[in-house]
């Protein structure tokens, strides 16, 4: 089924949308089409009686779930993107992510696995040559990586925040190698 419609916006609104959606003029229409697709899916499910919610929180969680599917192309977004799109605080953003990861864990299993694997693939060696580091913009990924490490071997060192940084985390070599093995990723030695 193909659905098309036109909307009229003010130039100031378009500029604000480009800023919030982190896109330029050429990308704006594509981004808004993804938003429209997610919105239509939400209403379609409601009209069919498949997802009828009575609590605002449930609506927000489902909305994030379908945004992951349509707007974020099956990737778990960082917390700031959720803050920007949903007009919530960083704390609320973290709570939303945590809630949907539990509530929609089976629907998001593949998405979670591929997103966490991408995080492992982004790990780099530290200048000291002994440890590894990763920049994580979503607290969920750090928690999930530590959960995976705990399930592999409870004696492995946890991933910890690098002192004096906002979102850089240190991974000990033993933990890094186990994560690479778990996700079938070629380690950087």
């Amino acid at each position: 089924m193909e659905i098309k419609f036109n909307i009229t916006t003010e130039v100031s609104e378009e500029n604000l949308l480009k800023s919030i959606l982190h896109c330029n003029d050429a990308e704006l229409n594509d981004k808004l089409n993804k938003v429209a697709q997610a919105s239509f899916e939400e209403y379609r499910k409601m009209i069919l009686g498949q997802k009828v919610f009575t609590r605002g929180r449930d609506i927000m969680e489902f909305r994030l779930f379908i945004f992951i599917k349509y707007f974020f192309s099956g990737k778990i977004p960082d917390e700031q993107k959720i803050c920007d799109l949903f007009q919530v605080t960083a704390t609320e953003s973290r709570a939303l992510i945590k809630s949907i990861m539990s509530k929609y864990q089976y629907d998001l299993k593949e998405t979670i696995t591929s997103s966490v694997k991408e995080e492992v693939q982004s790990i780099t060696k530290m200048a000291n040559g002994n440890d590894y580091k990763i920049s994580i913009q979503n607290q969920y990924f750090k928690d999930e990586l530590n959960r995976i490490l705990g399930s592999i071997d409870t004696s492995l060192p946890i991933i910890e925040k690098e002192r004096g940084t906002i979102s850089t985390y240190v991974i000990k070599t033993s933990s890094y190698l186990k994560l690479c093995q778990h996700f079938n990723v070629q380690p950087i030695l």
Side-chain angles (χ1 to χ4, degrees), residues 79-141:
E79 293 163 2
Q80 187 57 51
K81 287 180 182 170
I82 295 169
C83 291
D84 294 346
L85 292 173
F86 287 74
Q87 310 299 314
V88 295
T89 65
T91 302
E92 291 170 313
S93 171
R94 276 190 289 282
L96 267 175
I97 291 170
K98 192 173 182 179
S99 292
I100 69 155
M101 293 307 157
S102 176
K103 188 178 278 188
Y104 297 103
Q105 64 182 305
Y106 301 113
D107 296 312
L108 291 172
K109 185 175 176 73
E110 198 173 298
T111 297
I112 293 167
T113 301
S114 68
S115 294
V116 175
K117 183 177 181 175
E118 282 182 20
E119 291 294 323
V120 171
Q121 290 170 322
S122 73
I123 295 172
T124 59
K125 198 155 183 100
M126 293 184 70
N128 69 15
N130 297 327
D131 298 324
Y132 293 83
K133 68 178 179 177
I134 184 172
S135 177
I136 299 177
Q137 302 299 319
N138 187 328
Q139 186 74 32
Y140 172 78
F141 289 128

Side-chain angles (χ1 to χ4, degrees), residues 7 27 38 127:
I7 59 169
E27 299 166 322

